[in-house]
Amino acid sequence: MTLKPSWLLLLSISAGVWSVPIDRNGDNQEAKEDVPEENADTGLYYDRYLREVIEVLETDPHFREKLQTANTEDIKNGRLSKELDLVGHHVRTRLDELKRQEVSRLRMLLKAKLDSTNTQSLQMDHASLLKQFEHLDPHNQNTFEAKDLELLISTATKDLENYDAERHEEFKRYEMLKEHERREYLKGLDQEKRETEEKRLQELKDKHHQHPKVNAPGSVAQLREVWEETDGLDPQEFNPKTFFKLHDTNEDGVLDEQELEALFTKELEKVYDPKNEEDDMMEMEEERLRMREHVMKNVDANKDRLVSLEEFLKSTEKKEFSNPKEWETLETRPVYTEEELQRFEVELRDKEEELKRKAENLRQQQDLLKERGKALEAQRREYQQAVLEMSQRQKEQQAAGGQPPAGPHGELQFQPEIQQVEDKEAKVPAEHQAEPPNNLPAEPPQNLPLHT
């Protein structure tokens, strides 16, 4: 999806982008034309929803036309949102579907959060909980309206303005954690090993400081170096307008944050090499962010997070362009104070204690479940034994009463020996059956007269 510059105000691609050098090889340029451009993730937790909404809106000819003529203020103040009522029915249907999907996703996030804190959510009002998400209207969870677009734009604008500050804070915490782990590691060594390791770490630090001079980002020296080494052009023929068009890779008439950050790769390679133990790639990305902020501060006159050709050309006329101050890299300026590090370590200890308590609680619950499992298994065995004993007593009682033993469901079971004897008797022919002996007196005839 290719976005208009005004949309780039919302989808600023400053978040976590590992920019790479621009390939100016003419042989590969033709093959790249068929590859659709993909913008980097903004880092917003609703990034996918934001992009999908824009993608759907741009399929509508009327809205797309309005978007092409809109300026930054039209988007930021919500005037563009009113055009939503004029888009096609199929577009509105798709936007409704996207909103329902987003609401469903947010509900799942809320449920996961409540489950993690053991909060009873049976009586909770999910509509009220959704109010904490500012990029959509929580009162209408089924259809996408003009208010949803206005909220989405205003929230994204505000969040992106704060995003760089959040990245700096995350990097500071990363550096403090790294220093905390270094100190804890050294504490665990004996004195001789500690001194050896401290010497080794200091040598790595000194080696990292030994690098070529880094040109100030946005200066003529820095741009000429890109012109010569990346673009393969004669530095004596440097032309700012041509340079701008060469590095406006999507040809939208502006340099966005990603295109700017790509210009600093050569400078960063002077300081950072992923193959070297002493070079930290997280520090490299922080340095890239600092360089981009420096250029934006000096060049982006209207503060729309984009550099137009006019702004770029005006910046080349300033004194700082030809005679900039020496650029101070990260190793020359402390990221945090000792007091901040101490507060951070206290926070780490508190979190560690909390995790230990949770782990102990889980262990106790696991032990309790094991004990319950053992008790249930013992009850099961007792029940089986009782059933067997009851069945045995029934068989003994039936045997004593001359009745065939009963089966598992109460049916009678005949003994195989008795059944075999009965079967044999049934097979004896009638002529072979026993007759009364001849010497037995015959029965007296019936109704004979008696002798007197």
Side-chain angles (χ1 to χ4, degrees):
M1 171 177 64
T2 302
L3 302 178
K4 184 181 181 295
S6 50
W7 280 116
L8 290 172
L9 172 69
L10 309 179
L11 299 179
S12 172
I13 41 186
S14 61
V17 180
W18 288 56
S19 304
V20 296
I22 300 174
D23 186 5
R24 295 297 178 187
N25 190 325
D27 296 336
N28 297 332
Q29 193 68 22
E30 183 177 352
K32 292 181 180 180
E33 291 178 357
D34 296 332
V35 180
E37 179 186 356
E38 293 186 2
N39 293 298
D41 194 312
T42 61
L44 303 175
Y45 68 89
Y46 49 91
D47 174 83
R48 180 176 177 178
Y49 174 62
L50 175 61
R51 291 180 178 277
E52 288 179 340
V53 167
I54 294 174
E55 184 176 303
V56 171
L57 286 172
E58 288 194 330
T59 63
D60 184 84
H62 171 78
F63 195 90
R64 187 176 184 87
E65 180 182 355
K66 291 293 183 181
L67 179 62
Q68 295 296 331
T69 58
N71 56 36
T72 301
E73 289 303 316
D74 290 336
I75 295 177
K76 293 176 68 174
N77 61 25
R79 282 198 293 268
L80 188 64
S81 304
K82 299 176 182 179
E83 302 295 332
L84 186 66
D85 295 332
L86 302 178
V87 302
H89 175 72
H90 68 286
V91 174
R92 293 298 296 268
T93 302
R94 178 59 181 148
L95 290 173
D96 292 345
E97 181 182 350
L98 288 176
K99 183 176 180 181
R100 287 192 291 269
Q101 291 175 356
E102 179 69 359
V103 170
S104 177
R105 184 183 73 89
L106 296 177
R107 284 175 175 169
M108 292 178 63
L109 289 176
L110 286 171
K111 184 178 184 304
K113 182 179 180 180
L114 294 174
D115 290 344
S116 65
T117 56
N118 295 324
T119 303
Q120 298 295 329
S121 59
L122 295 178
Q123 303 297 327
M124 288 196 175
D125 183 0
H126 286 272
S128 298
L129 291 173
L130 286 172
K131 290 180 180 179
Q132 62 186 286
F133 302 109
E134 300 178 348
H135 64 286
L136 49 72
D137 181 9
H139 301 292
N140 175 16
Q141 302 179 20
N142 296 312
T143 59
F144 189 96
E145 305 295 340
K147 184 176 182 181
D148 289 293
L149 182 57
E150 183 179 350
L151 288 172
L152 183 61
I153 292 172
S154 61
T155 304
T157 303
K158 180 186 66 175
D159 290 346
L160 288 172
E161 289 174 350
N162 299 328
Y163 196 76
D164 287 346
E166 292 176 0
R167 286 184 63 188
H168 287 310
E169 184 62 28
E170 288 178 5
F171 176 74
K172 179 191 288 188
R173 295 178 66 84
Y174 167 78
E175 287 291 297
M176 290 191 292
L177 178 61
K178 192 166 65 173
E179 175 62 17
H180 168 74
E181 291 178 344
R182 185 190 72 84
R183 294 183 181 185
E184 291 298 312
Y185 167 67
L186 293 175
K187 285 181 183 179
L189 303 178
D190 57 44
Q191 184 174 358
E192 182 178 356
K193 289 183 178 179
R194 186 185 307 116
E195 292 176 354
T196 302
E197 188 64 12
E198 286 178 341
K199 181 180 179 181
R200 186 185 74 85
L201 293 175
Q202 185 61 43
E203 289 174 351
L204 290 175
K205 187 176 182 180
D206 295 339
K207 183 180 177 182
H208 174 69
H209 291 175
Q210 297 171 3
H211 56 74
K213 178 185 176 182
V214 177
N215 294 313
S219 65
V220 63
Q222 189 257 318
L223 298 184
R224 281 182 187 273
E225 194 169 280
V226 175
W227 175 275
E228 179 181 7
E229 298 188 14
T230 303
D231 301 333
L233 300 174
D234 187 348
Q236 301 303 320
E237 298 179 359
F238 174 76
N239 182 282
K241 186 175 182 180
T242 303
F243 182 90
F244 181 94
K245 292 184 176 180
L246 280 173
H247 293 273
D248 178 16
T249 55
N250 58 3
E251 300 180 353
D252 59 359
V254 294
L255 296 180
D256 57 46
E257 294 178 343
Q258 185 183 27
E259 290 167 333
L260 279 176
E261 290 185 353
L263 301 178
F264 311 137
T265 299
K266 283 295 178 183
E267 298 302 321
L268 294 169
E269 287 177 348
K270 297 177 182 178
V271 186
Y272 300 96
D273 185 342
K275 298 179 182 178
N276 295 338
E277 181 184 359
E278 67 274 10
D279 297 337
D280 189 334
M281 294 301 102
M282 289 287 291
E283 293 180 1
M284 183 184 75
E285 291 309 310
E286 174 69 8
E287 193 76 76
R288 192 192 303 274
L289 173 59
R290 292 179 61 240
M291 289 180 171
R292 190 250 295 162
E293 288 179 327
H294 175 79
V295 172
M296 281 294 188
K297 180 180 179 181
N298 295 327
V299 181
D300 182 20
N302 62 359
K303 307 301 178 185
D304 63 352
R305 303 174 72 93
L306 301 167
V307 176
S308 65
L309 175 60
E310 181 182 1
E311 290 173 329
F312 182 76
L313 294 179
K314 282 185 177 180
S315 71
T316 62
E317 300 171 359
K318 296 179 180 180
K319 179 182 177 181
E320 293 81 5
F321 181 71
S322 301
N323 298 299
K325 295 181 180 179
E326 184 176 353
W327 181 252
E328 296 182 353
T329 53
L330 274 173
E331 68 263 16
T332 62
R333 20 184 320 137
V335 179
Y336 55 87
T337 64
E338 184 64 27
E339 290 76 11
E340 288 177 322
L341 178 59
Q342 292 177 1
R343 288 196 298 268
F344 178 75
E345 290 181 326
V346 171
E347 180 183 342
L348 284 181
R349 286 194 293 270
D350 292 342
K351 289 184 176 180
E352 185 177 357
E353 290 298 323
E354 182 180 357
L355 288 175
K356 286 182 179 179
R357 288 194 297 270
K358 289 183 177 181
E360 177 63 21
N361 186 33
L362 289 174
R363 188 192 64 78
Q364 293 177 358
Q365 292 181 8
Q366 186 180 24
D367 292 343
L368 181 61
L369 289 174
K370 287 182 179 179
E371 292 298 324
R372 289 179 178 176
K374 292 179 180 178
L376 290 174
E377 178 63 19
Q379 291 178 3
R380 185 183 67 82
R381 292 178 179 176
E382 290 178 2
Y383 174 75
Q384 289 180 339
Q385 183 65 28
V387 171
L388 290 175
E389 292 176 356
M390 184 182 298
S391 176
Q392 185 64 29
R393 285 196 299 269
Q394 288 178 350
K395 291 179 180 179
E396 293 175 355
Q397 292 174 359
Q398 291 170 352
Q403 296 180 358
H409 300 291
E411 71 275 12
L412 295 179
Q413 289 185 339
F414 296 92
Q415 298 181 6
E417 306 84 31
I418 300 176
Q419 187 67 30
Q420 290 175 1
V421 172
E422 292 178 351
D423 292 342
K424 288 180 179 180
E425 291 179 352
K427 294 179 181 178
V428 177
E431 59 271 25
H432 295 119
Q433 292 184 2
E435 297 180 356
N438 294 330
N439 55 356
L440 290 178
E443 293 183 5
Q446 300 293 328
N447 302 325
L448 291 178
L450 297 176
H451 296 279
T452 58

